[in-house]
Every structure is written in C-alpha cells, then in structure tokens.
Amino acid sequence: MICVTIACGSHTRMINEHQALAADGVQLVELRLDFLRRSPELHRLLPSRPTATVVTVRRKQDGGLWNGTEEERLLLLRAAIAEQPEFIDLEYDIANKIPRFGKTLRVISYHKTNGVPDNLEELHREMLRKDADVIKIAVNPKSIADMFNFIAFIREKNAKAKKYGTKLNGDGGGVRVVGICMGESGKATRILAKKFGMPFTFATFSKDRIVAPGLMVYKEMLDLYHYELTDAKTKVFGIIGNPIGHSLSPLIHNKSFIEQKINAVYVPFPLDEEQVAEFIKFAPQWDIEGISVTIPHKVKVMESLTKMDPAVDSIGACNTVVFRKGERLGFNTDYLAAVSSIEIAMGGKPQDNPGILEGKTALVLGAGGAGMALVYGLKKRGAMVTVTDINASRAKEVSQALEVEMIDWSSRMSMEPAPDVIANCTPIGMHPNVEESPFERRAFQRKMAVFDAVYNPENTLFLKEAATRGCTVISGVEMFVGQACLQFKFFTGEKASASFMRKLVKNAISAAKE
C-alpha cells in the first residue's frame, strides 16, 4: 500500500488532511511531528485518527525538521507509543532506547543522503537486532549501478521474508524491508515498490509539500502509475531522457495498459548522458522489457545495442529499445509514425507501394533527431527531399549522410519550385513559445501538406497560418500517437488504440492550458 506523509506546521491542518485522506480511501498515513511549529499535542492527533498511522519525529541529520533536544524527542516518541499508533518510526541508532509497547509495530529506519552504505548486509543484521517489525533504508545512490544493486539487495531480503513468513503479517519471523532511493532518478523505486516486495512505499499529500527528494504525490502514484494494481509479475517499461517531466508517454502507455488489462507499468527514468550505458546494462535486473528513448539520448543509446533496425543505422537515432533473450534491440518509430500521418492526411495509405509521396518534393526544417527521421522516411517513400537547419553544418551532415539536397536556412521560404510537403522538425512554436513559427504565412501555398512535429500546443502558429492559406495540416499529435502505438506493439505484442491515446493527449494538452 501507499503510506501518505502529512508534513505541515499546523495541528488543525494535519488533522484535516488526515481526514481527507481517509475519505479518499487511503489506509496508511505518516504523521511527521517534526514539521509542527508548536509542541506536538498527541491527544489531538492520535486517539481519533481515521486511518492506520506511522508516527515519525525526524532529526535534522536524517532530513527532518526537529528543533528540540534529542532528550525531548525521545520523550515524545515514548509518549506517542503510549497512544498505541499502528507504527512508530525509530532510527536504528536510538531504537534500543525506545522499548516496545502494546501492539505498536516498530519501523527501524536508516537514512544516508550521500550514497549507499558499503556494508548493507551488516547494517541489515544490526537493524534486525533492534526488534524490528519493518526495516526502512533510505539512500541517495551516486550511480545507476548503486541504485540497481541496492534494489537487488532489498528485493532479495523481501523474497526471503515472504518465503518464511513475516512479522508484519503475523505469519512468521521474517522482516520485510522498505528500500527508498531519494532524488528524481529514484522515483522509479517508489513506483515499483510492490514489485520488489516492499510492504509499502511513501508518497506526499500535495505537490506543494516537499518532504523528501523524489517523493511523489499519492494521487499520481495511484492514478497515473496504478500502484495498487502492480505486483511481482508486473512487466516494466519506461522512458529515458533528460528532462522527461513534461513527457506524456507515461500517461498514454499506463492508461493503455489499464484499458487493455495488461499487467504492466511505464516508468520515467531521468538520466544524464554518462548514465545511459550503465542503465541499459542493468535494466533487465528490474524485468524492464522495453524503453522509449527521448532527447538527448537517441544517439548515445545506440552504443549499447546488440542489434538495430536498418532505419536506426541510417537515421543515426534510436527511440525504442526492446530487451529480449539477452539482446538489446533498437528501433525508430518516429519516422514511420510521421510519414504515415502525412500520407494519410494527403489521402494515401502507408501500405501503398508506390505511395502518395512518390515523386513529391519535401522540405524538412530542422536536422536534429526528428529531422533526420523525417528525411529518411520521406525519401524511403519516394519523395525528393531537401533539408535545412539554422545550424548549416548539421544540415550538411544530414544531407551527406542520407544523400538529399540542402539549402541555407535563409532560403527556406523561397525554394523553387515550392515544395509539396513542408515538415517542421524544430522546437520553434513549442509551448511556452507559442507565438513563434519557423515559416512565414506568405510563403505557404494552397495544396501544400504541412506537418509539425511539435504536439504541444497541438495547433501551432505554424499550422494555423498554413491552414489559412488552404494547406492540408498535420499536427504533431498524430506523430506522437503513431510512434507510441508502434512502441506499444513492440513492447507488448498487442495493438494499441490510437483513438484512445489521441484522446488522452488532447485532454492533457487542454488541461495544461487551463
């Protein structure tokens, strides 16, 4: 289950939030007494508590806000146990000073904010000797390897506890472990806590309440990542990139898993470039079966592939990795999705050969990863392609690599003859810079097909102005949904609902504007 942390300065607010969580179906709440501005009044907080409760009074050295003396804190913890909450959180170094009382279960905790302990086995044995019912270890890994190895340790301890029965369930002496990796990169460990055998994970009441690095809002854990539906058999997929907080991929994949009754979860993994290879190496340890790859790692990830689709090699970018039988297989679904959406809008069919793009002229604005994908896809379908970019050397590289024409960026609106297709693969016009366009209205001509890889906003200024000139316009939503559908098929073997994904994306974009 999810234990929702309430950390606020007011007794009244703490009580109100506790009642609100109970009304929302939350079963376990942590009261962070160290956040209260006045001395904690236990008679107000505990006797009438509406859910099972963990009482915590965290020291500053462990990331808390306790301002009193250590003697006062220990007295408060003993007084809290006298009220017999369901759980009391005790740091491992002071646990022997607080005797067991009544039916209150003991969470013995350890916090390390600068890495992972070298002696996890020894630490675990020492925490067991503190009369633990649950062990909680929170760390801040310095590397991807540290994170994966730490979770492997936690997973092993929980598997053994389950095998012999656990104290928490009253069916044995095994002690289950909550393992937390702090920070943005550690969010995945919170989302996957049930899969790793943890008895519960922690979340916060509100996004405005920063209690610990990487702590997520409980509603996001439940609604987006369907935490309560995950289990040891849940398949794991995800997205790597930096940044990825804005990505709608977790939304459309996770909602599609639920819609199609697939036991899987799609998790964000924010990575720096130097972490990519290490992540790809360790990913199978977490039963990760596939990942989406976004900016800026589409090129870097290629170094870690054992096999790649010919399109990946030609484009020089990979946006999909599938882990299968020890292989790391790379694909590019961007070019297929983009070109297919253009062909359909023009009245053709992607399966036609020759297709509607055969012999057409196309101008691609932007020579980055998306631009290369479009150049490759359009040429593959028989179009005569010209590429341009603000960075002339980058356009030249694409031109030479894919054997297409290039023009100077300043000449993009005076190309003769005018192209049949114009594709914007630059970030120009993307939210929040919605008043920008890479093309002037006057240069659009009737019957052009105009595509924009930008999907937020859906109706960019580039597309709006093209529409007023009688052009056929294709939004980036179609490419985004198309590439996601193809990834879904690679990941699960099942066909995704494009209409379902499209609705999710449009609703999310609309909600962001409000």
Side-chain angles (χ1 to χ4, degrees):
M1 68 177 70
I2 294 178
C3 179
V4 182
T5 298
I6 302 177
C8 50
S10 159
H11 285 77
T12 299
R13 187 169 182 178
M14 188 170 281
I15 292 167
N16 290 342
E17 290 184 3
H18 200 165
Q19 291 173 342
L21 288 169
D24 204 23
V26 172
Q27 299 178 12
L28 181 62
V29 164
E30 178 187 36
L31 298 182
R32 286 290 300 270
L33 303 188
D34 51 300
F35 272 72
L36 289 168
R37 290 188 293 270
R38 293 187 294 130
S39 297
E41 299 174 13
L42 300 177
H43 66 280
R44 294 180 60 189
L45 299 172
L46 295 178
S48 299
R49 61 190 180 276
T51 73
T53 301
V54 180
V55 173
T56 301
V57 189
R58 189 72 69 219
R59 303 173 295 196
K60 287 186 177 180
Q61 67 197 63
D62 297 312
L65 296 182
W66 178 252
N67 278 319
T69 66
E70 181 63 1
E71 183 178 348
E72 290 170 335
R73 192 176 77 95
L74 297 179
L75 286 172
L76 179 58
L77 288 167
R78 295 187 187 103
I81 293 178
E83 297 289 344
Q84 297 201 45
E86 285 70 25
F87 296 90
I88 190 85
D89 185 304
L90 305 170
E91 294 84 5
Y92 84 107
D93 58 320
I94 59 94
N96 287 342
K97 299 179 182 180
I98 310 292
R100 182 181 290 275
F101 182 81
K103 296 182 178 180
T104 298
L105 299 175
R106 293 160 61 89
V107 178
I108 307 303
S109 63
Y110 170 89
H111 297 79
K112 184 176 176 66
T113 58
N114 60 342
V116 177
D118 296 327
N119 57 341
L120 277 172
E121 284 286 356
E122 182 181 334
L123 174 65
H124 182 259
R125 286 195 297 270
E126 185 175 349
M127 295 176 80
L128 285 175
R129 289 194 289 266
K130 306 292 184 176
D131 193 17
D133 297 298
V134 178
I135 285 174
K136 173 188 172 187
I137 304 176
V139 299
N140 194 355
K142 293 182 178 179
S143 70
I144 293 297
D146 281 352
M147 181 174 73
F148 276 90
N149 291 332
F150 172 72
I151 292 299
F153 173 84
I154 300 298
R155 200 174 187 179
E156 176 196 4
K157 296 306 178 187
N158 283 325
K160 288 182 178 179
K162 182 180 180 180
K163 181 177 180 180
Y164 297 110
T166 70
K167 292 175 68 174
L168 185 61
N169 295 336
D171 59 2
V175 176
R176 291 172 71 184
V177 185
V178 176
I180 296 171
C181 293
M182 293 179 275
E184 286 297 307
S185 60
K187 284 184 176 180
T189 65
R190 301 178 187 271
I191 296 168
L192 298 173
K194 278 187 72 179
K195 181 175 179 65
F196 301 142
M198 301 183 206
F200 46 81
T201 191
F202 290 82
T204 187
F205 178 78
S206 164
K207 65 180 180 181
D208 299 323
R209 203 80 51 75
I210 300 175
V211 182
L215 198 63
M216 301 171 67
V217 179
Y218 81 99
K219 283 189 175 293
E220 183 182 22
M221 292 277 286
L222 291 172
D223 297 343
L224 179 55
Y225 297 106
H226 47 269
Y227 178 83
E228 296 297 355
L229 297 179
T230 60
D231 56 31
K233 296 181 180 180
T234 298
K235 295 180 178 181
V236 182
F237 303 95
I239 179 171
I240 65 171
N242 191 8
I244 53 175
H246 65 286
S247 175
L248 296 180
S249 292
L251 171 70
I252 62 177
H253 282 282
N254 282 316
K255 293 295 184 183
S256 294
F257 292 149
I258 296 299
E259 177 75 8
Q260 298 185 209
K261 296 180 172 57
I262 297 172
N263 185 10
V265 64
Y266 185 99
V267 182
F269 296 99
L271 301 177
D272 293 329
E273 186 177 19
E274 62 271 17
Q275 297 175 308
V276 172
E278 199 169 41
F279 176 87
I280 297 298
K281 174 184 175 181
F282 283 98
Q285 282 193 14
W286 285 7
D287 308 323
I288 296 173
E289 297 190 15
I291 55 169
S292 308
V293 184
T294 190
I295 294 171
H297 302 325
K298 293 184 181 184
V299 176
K300 182 67 177 178
V301 77
M302 292 174 61
E303 299 173 6
S304 299
L305 301 176
T306 57
K307 292 181 182 178
M308 64 181 75
D309 185 83
V312 172
D313 188 35
S314 296
I315 297 169
C318 169
N319 79 322
T320 308
V321 178
V322 176
F323 299 89
R324 185 180 299 150
K325 296 180 180 179
E327 298 277 13
R328 300 181 292 275
L329 312 176
F331 303 92
N332 189 302
T333 65
D334 285 336
Y335 89 92
L336 285 170
V339 173
S340 294
S341 65
I342 293 170
E343 288 184 308
I344 291 170
M346 293 174 68
K349 296 179 180 178
Q351 61 269 31
D352 289 346
N353 194 14
I356 198 168
L357 285 168
E358 183 79 25
K360 298 290 194 299
T361 56
L363 173 63
V364 176
L365 308 175
M372 285 193 72
L374 257 294
V375 170
Y376 174 86
L378 289 166
K379 182 182 177 184
K380 189 176 180 66
R381 293 297 283 163
M384 296 176 287
V385 184
T386 299
V387 64
T388 186
D389 194 284
I390 295 173
N391 184 331
S393 62
R394 188 160 60 182
K396 185 177 181 179
E397 288 176 9
V398 173
S399 170
Q400 293 176 341
L402 297 179
E403 298 180 339
V404 298
E405 297 296 321
M406 71 163 285
I407 59 172
D408 188 76
W409 180 256
S410 62
S411 303
R412 67 192 185 282
M413 289 176 289
S414 56
M415 183 175 164
E416 290 291 344
D420 300 305
V421 178
I422 301 178
N424 175 39
C425 296
T426 75
I428 299 173
M430 182 185 295
H431 180 83
N433 303 312
V434 297
E435 297 303 319
E436 297 179 2
S437 172
F439 218 69
E440 293 181 13
R441 180 180 179 277
R442 62 173 176 80
F444 290 113
Q445 295 186 21
R446 183 177 296 276
K447 296 185 179 180
M448 280 181 174
V450 179
F451 168 85
D452 199 338
V454 172
Y455 67 84
N456 186 11
E458 178 183 5
N459 196 16
T460 60
L461 180 62
F462 178 68
L463 295 183
K464 287 178 183 176
E465 294 188 335
T468 65
R469 298 281 287 177
C471 301
T472 298
V473 298
I474 309 104
S475 85
V477 168
E478 298 307 313
M479 175 182 173
F480 181 68
V481 169
Q483 63 84 27
C485 285
L486 290 167
Q487 287 184 336
F488 194 90
K489 180 71 173 179
F490 279 129
F491 291 162
T492 68
E494 303 290 334
K495 182 179 180 181
S497 169
S499 59
F500 181 73
M501 286 189 173
R502 188 179 295 110
K503 182 178 179 181
L504 289 170
V505 172
K506 291 189 176 186
N507 287 344
I509 292 172
S510 297
K513 293 178 182 177
E514 296 175 356

